[in-house]
Amino acid sequence: MKNIYTIVLILLSCSFAVQAQSSKQKKADRLYKDFAYLKATEVYKELIEKEYKVTENNLKLGDAYMMLRSPENAVFYYGDAIEDTSISPEYYYKYAQALRGVKRYEESRQWLKKYLESGRGSQEIRNILEKDEYKSKATYRLQPAEFNSEVSDFGVFVKDDQVYFVSARAQDTDVKEKTYSWNGEPFLDIYLLDKASGNVVPVSGDINTKLHDGPAVVSPDGNTLYFTRNNYLGKKEGKRDKDKTNHLKLYSAKNEGGKWSQVKELPFNSNEYSVGHPALSPDGKTLYFTSDKPGGLGGTDIYMVSIEEDGSFGAPQILEGPVNTEFDETFPFMDTDGTLYFSSNGHAGLGLFDIFKLEDGKIENLGETINSSKDDFAYFQVADSKEGYLSTNRDGGSDDIYVFNKLNPLVLKGQVTDAINGKPVSSATVRLMDGNNTEIAFLETDAEGNYQTEITRDNNYPIEAKEIKYQTFEGMVSTQDSDEKEEIIYNIQLQPVEDPDYLAEIENIYFDFDKSNIRPDAAKELDKLIKLMTEDYPELVIEIGSHTDRRGSNAYNEKLAERRAKATYNYLVANGIAPERIAAYQGYGETQPAIP
């Protein structure tokens, strides 16, 4: 009987343990669904320690850490589950992304290939696999902004030396006592930095609320503020979707005496999806934004909408062309020259989110140092300035704002000339190589011998120049310590080949059988040599050699060749060539035949 009681107690104990873990699983999943990722990680870890649904919870834990933008932790937990053949191939992609976040690029490529092999791949994935080098001709000098806090700071917009940015610092406010369960930080507000004084204050007026506010942009005339906010208007939270999610929306406000008021919701918002990250065209007539609305390409996409003269809006349209992918595109910014910058995790890049630009219909990754293995986003360039800002979590932890100084590509230009007479050499080829001796530019000089291209700074470039009548030139162009320069002039002098016949383009000179007089066709060729020696190279010194065929004796042919050499000498001297410029004239007879 005791044994029966013992077995029953054990079974009851096991049942209670399973129920306890099941209850804890529901709690972890609920926290995850409610975006409380920081708290969810602790519960998932407890479940793994109890060896409860280990594979499933390792994957969930990896997902939570990716949402917390912590790929170093995500890699660890994904890695413990990734070899399980029962998991969804979706995790091959997620694992590959996490690996990129910790710079394990080759491993990342292998898991992307496996993702493709599972049939889940796309053209974007193939593009990522095909590219492994990301460079920008512009050079960026970066440093952390002095106004960063210990919590998240990001999303800069500058208007008249006033720097608008988003921060979780909860400064000068008592409405942000609650922390955001996603990452444990206070909710976001919009702040204003006065560049002259360095003072940072919350933006004035009716903008900041108890939920998330920001980022924001200001219209060119300074009268309208467009900003992102959780669904919240008139001190009241708006309706949530069926999953109880409070989505982001776009709002506008008017400048009244230096304060922002008359907050209005933009007409294309929805309670069912998010709209945010506003950006304006330079003329203020087009608003760009990010949304995960249905009908897009996937994830979040970038849209555009016209702003009419009366302040109303046209119909939003998804941005055409190569910008949007099946993944996430965010934080658009339109530069004054019409170049669109944005962040994406769907284009080939260095890490999680990278910053890209759309120029001439092509997508370009801005490369290092703008991008890192982590999240890089919210690019902003101050108008008519080299100064700009971006946001990143590259140093670990929360997002920070970085200030950059953008140095445009260096213009490399020069002239290729003849080293002897200084005349320009047209149609010469100029090749520029990188550090791996791979050709990066192939140029041809114009009629004046000029060439020009753009190159990056902080590099050494092997350079080669060729023209058929000249010896190959090899040199090195250095762009080190060139921050104060806009261009580098690198002139090249080519040494002519030591072959007057070739330089003058002289055909063979022929004599009649057993004769040594200069025929008219021979005179025509020698006139080319005279022109070369008088006009192109007035210090050129030559030697004359004459040959015969094998008919006749060798002794006779030698004398005949000497007479022919002498006749050539006399013709050149008679036509203005100084005797001292002809070092020798010699007959070789049949000893050096053209055809053996």
Side-chain angles (χ1 to χ4, degrees):
M1 184 65 76
K2 286 183 179 179
N3 289 338
I4 293 172
Y5 284 141
T6 301
I7 292 170
V8 169
L9 287 171
I10 290 172
L11 289 173
L12 286 172
S13 176
C14 290
S15 176
F16 286 135
V18 170
Q19 288 180 13
Q21 302 312 320
S22 177
S23 175
K24 191 170 287 187
Q25 182 76 61
K26 290 178 181 178
K27 177 183 178 182
D29 292 342
R30 185 175 62 255
L31 287 169
Y32 185 93
K33 186 178 179 181
D34 291 342
F35 311 122
Y37 300 116
L38 199 60
K39 292 179 180 178
T41 59
E42 298 305 316
V43 185
Y44 283 130
K45 286 178 184 177
E46 291 175 10
L47 289 165
I48 292 170
E49 287 176 5
K50 297 292 185 179
E51 297 185 355
Y52 185 77
K53 296 184 178 180
V54 175
T55 296
E56 176 185 331
N57 287 315
N58 270 317
L59 295 175
K60 284 287 185 66
L61 197 47
D63 290 344
Y65 275 119
M66 285 301 284
M67 298 306 293
L68 290 166
R69 316 316 288 165
S70 179
E72 58 276 7
N73 283 310
V75 161
F76 178 80
Y77 290 102
Y78 282 152
D80 277 355
I82 200 67
E83 298 291 351
D84 190 321
T85 56
S86 67
I87 69 172
S88 167
E90 167 193 8
Y91 279 98
Y92 301 158
Y93 175 77
K94 290 184 176 183
Y95 187 45
Q97 286 293 89
L99 287 166
R100 292 186 72 79
V102 293
K103 299 184 180 181
R104 289 161 60 178
Y105 295 117
E106 191 51 43
E107 290 177 74
S108 174
R109 292 171 65 84
Q110 296 307 313
W111 285 100
L112 282 179
K113 289 177 182 177
K114 194 166 183 178
Y115 181 65
L116 277 178
E117 291 165 0
S118 73
R120 301 290 188 90
S122 64
Q123 186 56 50
E124 281 83 9
I125 300 296
R126 293 183 180 89
N127 291 340
I128 291 172
L129 282 169
E130 288 171 3
K131 294 192 70 173
D132 57 4
E133 189 174 66
Y134 311 98
K135 293 182 179 179
S136 171
K137 287 185 178 179
T139 300
Y140 295 85
R141 307 294 188 211
L142 271 70
Q143 61 182 10
E146 294 181 354
F147 54 91
N148 283 318
S149 67
E150 295 299 316
V151 289
S152 294
D153 304 281
F154 65 93
V156 167
F157 178 86
V158 179
K159 176 70 174 174
D160 301 328
D161 281 339
Q162 300 291 301
V163 181
Y164 296 79
F165 68 98
V166 184
S167 179
R169 64 187 65 194
Q171 175 183 322
D172 302 337
T173 179
D174 58 1
V175 298
K176 295 294 175 82
E177 293 177 357
K178 281 184 65 177
T179 59
Y180 184 33
S181 58
W182 184 309
N183 56 10
E185 293 185 350
F187 282 81
L188 299 167
D189 278 332
I190 303 172
Y191 288 83
L192 194 61
L193 163 72
D194 181 77
K195 294 182 73 174
S197 65
N199 292 332
V200 173
V201 295
V203 70
S204 63
D206 303 325
I207 304 301
N208 292 324
T209 66
K210 66 179 183 179
L211 299 181
H212 286 310
D213 306 288
V217 296
V218 181
S219 61
D221 62 11
N223 293 328
T224 306
L225 182 83
Y226 299 98
F227 64 101
T228 309
R229 176 196 281 177
N230 275 123
N231 188 356
Y232 192 95
L233 188 62
K235 298 184 179 181
K236 182 180 179 181
E237 185 175 344
K239 187 180 292 186
R240 295 172 175 245
D241 69 9
K242 63 182 184 300
D243 295 322
K244 299 182 180 180
T245 299
N246 183 317
H247 287 284
L248 298 176
K249 291 188 174 184
L250 280 177
Y251 298 82
S252 66
K254 294 299 179 181
N255 189 345
E256 294 183 340
K259 290 189 176 182
W260 298 105
S261 60
Q262 300 183 45
V263 175
K264 294 181 180 179
E265 181 180 334
L266 299 194
F268 44 84
N269 289 321
S270 173
N271 295 330
E272 302 303 318
Y273 53 81
S274 287
V275 177
H277 304 169
L280 287 167
S281 60
D283 61 8
K285 295 181 179 180
T286 304
L287 178 69
Y288 297 87
F289 62 91
T290 300
S291 179
D292 59 354
K293 64 186 294 186
L297 296 186
T300 56
D301 295 306
I302 295 174
Y303 291 78
M304 59 188 292
V305 61
S306 61
I307 304 175
E308 309 301 336
E309 291 292 335
D310 61 359
S312 63
F313 295 88
Q317 296 178 327
I318 192 168
L319 209 62
E320 298 293 335
V323 170
N324 292 313
T325 69
E326 63 179 296
F327 301 105
D328 298 310
E329 282 67 49
T330 63
F331 288 95
F333 166 71
M334 180 68 77
D335 203 353
T336 53
D337 64 2
T339 301
L340 177 71
Y341 294 83
F342 64 98
S343 296
S344 173
N345 61 9
H347 292 281
L350 289 160
L352 302 180
F353 274 92
D354 273 10
I355 297 172
F356 299 83
K357 70 175 180 178
L358 173 67
E359 192 170 42
D360 299 326
K362 295 181 179 179
I363 301 297
E364 179 185 326
N365 186 302
L366 295 193
E368 296 181 298
T369 55
I370 283 288
N371 291 318
S372 68
S373 64
K374 300 293 179 61
D375 289 322
D376 304 287
F377 59 100
Y379 179 99
F380 180 86
Q381 179 83 40
V382 179
D384 303 317
S385 168
K386 293 181 179 180
E387 183 181 75
Y389 300 83
L390 63 85
S391 306
T392 180
N393 63 350
R394 66 185 59 189
D395 290 330
S398 302
D399 297 321
D400 283 318
I401 295 167
Y402 274 63
V403 185
F404 65 74
N405 187 36
K406 180 183 178 182
L407 304 172
N408 288 325
L410 274 169
V411 174
L412 170 66
K413 63 181 183 180
Q415 185 182 38
V416 179
T417 56
D418 187 305
I420 303 301
N421 56 34
K423 292 182 179 181
V425 180
S426 63
S427 301
T429 59
V430 179
R431 295 174 64 227
L432 207 63
M433 276 72 73
D434 62 14
N436 298 320
N437 218 35
T438 301
E439 180 180 288
I440 58 172
F442 185 86
L443 313 167
E444 187 172 293
T445 58
D446 62 17
E448 298 301 317
N450 296 315
Y451 72 94
Q452 182 173 313
T453 190
E454 289 184 343
I455 55 176
T456 59
R457 300 168 194 267
D458 306 328
N459 282 301
N460 294 313
Y461 296 97
I463 189 169
E464 175 191 273
K466 285 184 177 182
E467 208 281 333
I468 197 167
K469 293 181 180 179
Y470 295 88
Q471 299 175 38
T472 299
F473 171 89
E474 293 181 346
M476 185 72 70
V477 176
S478 175
T479 60
Q480 307 289 345
D481 303 318
S482 60
D483 284 9
E484 304 304 317
K485 298 178 181 178
E486 294 295 326
E487 64 180 28
I488 288 180
I489 297 175
Y490 191 87
N491 294 323
I492 297 171
Q493 292 184 328
L494 295 182
Q495 292 287 345
V497 295
E498 296 180 358
D499 188 342
D501 289 358
Y502 193 78
L503 291 173
E505 299 181 4
I506 299 174
E507 301 294 336
N508 285 332
I509 297 172
Y510 292 102
F511 294 84
D512 290 329
F513 179 71
D514 203 25
K515 302 290 185 182
S516 60
N517 58 295
I518 303 297
R519 300 187 331 190
D521 60 331
K524 184 178 178 181
E525 299 303 318
L526 289 175
D527 288 344
K528 295 179 185 177
L529 179 60
I530 292 167
K531 180 178 180 296
L532 180 77
M533 296 180 71
T534 55
E535 296 181 12
D536 295 330
Y537 302 113
E539 296 181 0
L540 176 64
V541 177
I542 66 168
E543 292 182 357
I544 298 171
S546 178
H547 309 266
T548 68
D549 59 27
R550 291 185 178 277
R551 289 175 292 179
S553 67
N554 182 51
Y556 180 84
N557 282 336
E558 195 170 306
K559 293 293 183 183
L560 176 61
E562 288 175 359
R563 291 196 300 272
R564 291 174 172 177
K566 176 65 173 176
T568 304
Y569 170 87
N570 290 337
Y571 184 88
L572 295 176
V573 172
N575 284 276
I577 302 301
E580 60 269 22
R581 295 182 62 196
I582 303 173
Y585 54 92
Q586 185 173 351
Y588 294 97
E590 61 186 66
T591 59
Q592 296 181 11
I595 302 173

